[in-house]
Amino acid sequence: MLAPKRRLGINSSFSMGSLETPTGAENGSAPAAGNGKSPSVDGAEMAAESDVLKRRRSSVLPLEVGTRVMCRWRDGKFHPVKVIERRKVPNSSPNDYEYYVHYTEFNRRLDEWVKLELLDLDSVEAVVDEKVEEKGATGLKMTRHQKRKIDETHVEGHEELDAASLREHEEFTKVKNIATIELGRYEIETWYFSPFPPEYNDCLKLYFCEFCLNFMKRKEQLQRHMRKCDLKHPPGDEIYRSGTLSMFEVDGKKNKVYGQNLCYLAKLFLDHKTLYYDVDLFLFYVLCECDDRGCHMVGYFSKEKHSEESYNLACILTLPPYQRKGYGKFLIAFSYELSKKEGKVGTPERPLSDLGLLSYRGYWTRVLLDILKKHKGNISIKELSDMTAIKAEDILTTLQSLELIQYRKGQHVICADPKVLDRHLKAAGRGGLEVDVSKLIWTPYKEQN
């Protein structure tokens, strides 16, 4: 079971100094306490300072939505936040609120409710009426490992939204409605808002059946459901099995409830522009780890049944407990193996977020460099596209970013120096889990109907 992430509930404290007792007389005078003040005078100053703090506290509380302030995060350090929402603490004083804050240096997935004692009231800034949230505030210095853990995400972004639509999206989804979910043997903290039906508005935790993805409010409901649910794997056809890994193809039209539940679940971890309720138009490819208890979902990707733009992937997610294990790269590679079976080139649905582009650029880089190394650069972009099912435009932009292509006499020429290729391959890192094509048994959708 994944325990919820620990939050540091460190109370704010004020250092008032201590009284010092000198060890001897000076110039024949009587010993004095510390700085020469009597304890009664020092005590009076402490009381006066306490009154000042109380008045300041009462003057700024409760904090208004939009207030900017410093907040102690789970790393024990203070970081700038913006107050997104507030709620009254039951059975408390009039100014006693909890605050939902956005850490302006971090992704929205780390937004959370915090108690007042985690906020530094001396750092309170006036409320600023901002029409559009400032983009790209990244003043925090982090190690590469910390940045990777915080920023690792998937392919969906908001680049296609205009300012008004972005404001509407952020207003509607500003507060996470579900804090945690239970899925199989894992308890997982959620990242984003998901538009569950209104009857689940009062639930901070939901319990999912890991096989049919039905969700319930209480553990007892899940236990009763599990005694009756006869599924031990996603509905649909198993199209791949290699060792303990299986891939199931689920038709959104044939398994509408499962498709919708999968979208609800995925939205908790993807900051999508929209959530599609019409799942009939999509195929879902659900990756599972299998054992004697059944097939447990690791992640998935979806694709349109018919895409005029040659998209071979619409949405992709690796669930948090299974991240950093190469499954995301496996899902991307699998989408291209399906494109090869279809006899067409493919590309992920646009627009890609910055991090989504990084994920794909990493995959494209490894695949293309391996082929260039084997062929010693004697290969055209069209031949690369035919071999990999990667769209020619994606190949061109990838090679340009690696400075492996030049434009000579009206055409693009690949420049593949072996040492340069080795350097780029080393920088690209390992390729992740391999797709064993011999284990893929699949008929393209058009051929099925």
Side-chain angles (χ1 to χ4, degrees):
M1 180 76 71
L2 280 184
K5 297 176 184 174
R6 296 173 58 199
R7 289 179 171 78
L8 302 177
I10 303 173
N11 292 328
S12 299
S13 60
F14 301 93
S15 176
M16 307 302 293
S18 59
L19 298 177
E20 297 178 359
T21 306
T23 55
E26 186 173 333
N27 295 330
S29 61
N35 53 11
K37 298 178 183 178
S38 70
S40 60
V41 172
D42 208 13
E45 287 187 357
M46 290 174 64
E49 188 168 349
S50 177
D51 288 341
V52 170
L53 289 172
K54 285 180 181 177
R55 284 197 297 273
R56 170 161 177 76
R57 186 184 177 97
S58 62
S59 68
V60 298
L61 293 178
L63 297 178
E64 297 291 336
V65 170
T67 300
R68 292 181 181 271
V69 64
M70 301 296 286
C71 178
R72 193 187 296 271
W73 193 50
R74 59 192 70 170
D75 62 358
K77 299 176 183 177
F78 282 94
H79 298 281
V81 300
K82 179 180 177 181
V83 176
I84 303 299
E85 191 57 271
R86 67 185 188 185
R87 66 186 179 194
K88 197 80 174 56
V89 177
N91 305 316
S92 60
S93 63
N95 287 339
D96 206 354
Y97 283 80
E98 289 181 321
Y99 298 92
Y100 192 79
V101 299
H102 167 62
Y103 296 89
T104 57
E105 298 164 321
F106 298 149
N107 186 282
R108 285 209 312 155
R109 75 186 62 177
L110 296 177
D111 295 2
E112 62 181 347
W113 288 102
V114 300
K115 295 186 181 302
L116 180 62
E117 57 259 33
L118 294 180
L119 302 176
D120 177 10
L121 297 182
D122 288 332
S123 67
V124 169
E125 297 179 18
V127 177
V128 179
D129 182 19
E130 294 171 318
K131 301 239 172 154
V132 182
E133 184 66 29
E134 290 178 2
K135 191 176 180 181
T138 54
L140 181 66
K141 291 184 179 178
M142 292 178 283
T143 66
R144 185 182 304 164
H145 177 69
Q146 288 171 324
K147 186 171 184 2
R148 191 169 61 226
K149 288 191 74 173
I150 290 172
D151 283 347
E152 187 186 51
T153 187
H154 305 282
V155 216
E156 296 294 331
H158 299 301
E159 289 77 4
E160 77 287 7
L161 298 180
D162 58 28
S165 299
L166 183 58
R167 285 199 302 274
E168 183 180 358
H169 167 83
E170 292 193 344
E171 176 63 27
F172 182 65
T173 66
K174 65 182 180 180
V175 178
K176 278 182 278 195
N177 50 339
I178 308 297
T180 58
I181 62 167
E182 186 173 306
L183 181 70
R185 61 193 179 94
Y186 292 106
E187 184 176 71
I188 311 170
E189 284 191 346
T190 63
W191 294 353
Y192 302 111
F193 172 91
S194 182
F196 284 90
E199 58 267 31
Y200 295 91
N201 285 349
D202 59 345
C203 296
L204 291 178
K205 182 175 181 178
L206 287 181
Y207 299 84
F208 279 80
C209 170
E210 63 173 328
F211 302 118
C212 71
L213 297 186
N214 282 348
F215 46 88
M216 298 125 222
K217 295 182 178 182
R218 297 191 305 277
K219 179 82 169 181
E220 308 79 59
Q221 291 176 307
L222 175 64
Q223 290 169 339
R224 286 198 301 271
H225 169 85
M226 295 304 292
R227 288 194 288 269
K228 295 184 288 184
C229 184
D230 55 2
L231 277 179
K232 293 298 178 186
H233 57 76
D237 300 324
E238 185 178 18
I239 62 173
Y240 181 87
R241 170 73 71 97
S242 178
T244 59
L245 280 187
S246 283
M247 184 75 82
F248 291 83
E249 181 184 67
V250 181
D251 188 329
K253 186 173 184 179
K254 296 177 183 176
N255 300 279
K256 185 173 290 191
V257 173
Y258 181 90
Q260 290 175 340
N261 289 345
L262 179 56
C263 290
Y264 281 129
L265 172 63
K267 181 63 188 69
L268 292 168
F269 305 101
L270 295 171
D271 197 11
H272 275 201
K273 53 193 179 295
T274 52
L275 178 69
Y276 291 105
Y277 294 96
D278 185 6
V279 295
D280 294 17
L281 306 177
F282 291 87
L283 295 167
F284 300 90
Y285 294 90
V286 185
L287 180 63
C288 298
E289 283 184 353
C290 302
D291 57 26
D292 55 358
R293 297 183 300 112
C295 297
H296 315 283
M297 185 173 76
V298 164
Y300 86 102
F301 71 90
S302 60
K303 63 182 288 188
E304 286 183 280
K305 293 175 179 176
H306 307 287
S307 174
E308 295 179 1
E309 297 87 355
S310 299
Y311 293 144
N312 65 352
L313 185 145
C315 183
I316 183 173
L317 170 71
T318 304
L319 289 169
Y322 300 98
Q323 290 179 1
R324 311 291 317 154
K325 296 182 179 180
Y327 288 127
K329 297 168 187 172
F330 181 90
L331 290 168
I332 292 174
F334 201 94
S335 71
Y336 278 103
E337 294 301 335
L338 297 187
S339 292
K340 291 176 189 176
K341 287 270 190 180
E342 292 174 310
K344 58 175 72 169
V345 297
T347 190
E349 187 173 313
R350 298 304 199 274
L352 287 171
S353 67
D354 291 343
L355 293 171
L357 179 58
L358 283 176
S359 299
Y360 266 90
R361 186 64 59 76
Y363 170 79
W364 293 330
T365 296
R366 284 184 294 272
V367 170
L368 296 174
L369 289 178
D370 281 336
I371 295 174
L372 289 176
K373 191 172 181 181
K374 289 174 186 173
H375 289 75
K376 299 181 179 179
N378 298 318
I379 192 170
S380 69
I381 289 178
K382 184 181 186 311
E383 288 170 327
L384 282 171
S385 182
D386 292 341
M387 293 173 67
T388 62
I390 300 173
K391 203 170 183 180
E393 290 87 338
D394 296 332
I395 294 173
L396 186 59
T397 57
T398 302
L399 295 181
Q400 285 173 336
S401 72
L402 298 170
E403 298 183 347
L404 292 176
I405 199 161
Q406 295 179 4
Y407 195 70
R408 296 177 186 168
K409 297 179 181 180
Q411 62 181 0
H412 290 100
V413 179
I414 297 172
C415 306
D417 180 273
K419 291 182 180 179
V420 176
L421 293 181
D422 286 338
R423 189 174 72 247
H424 284 310
L425 273 170
K426 187 176 180 180
R430 57 189 180 87
L433 301 170
E434 295 283 335
V435 179
D436 185 348
V437 184
S438 67
K439 305 291 177 64
L440 174 59
I441 303 171
W442 181 71
T443 304
Y445 181 76
K446 283 188 177 180
E447 295 177 26
Q448 296 175 12
N449 299 280

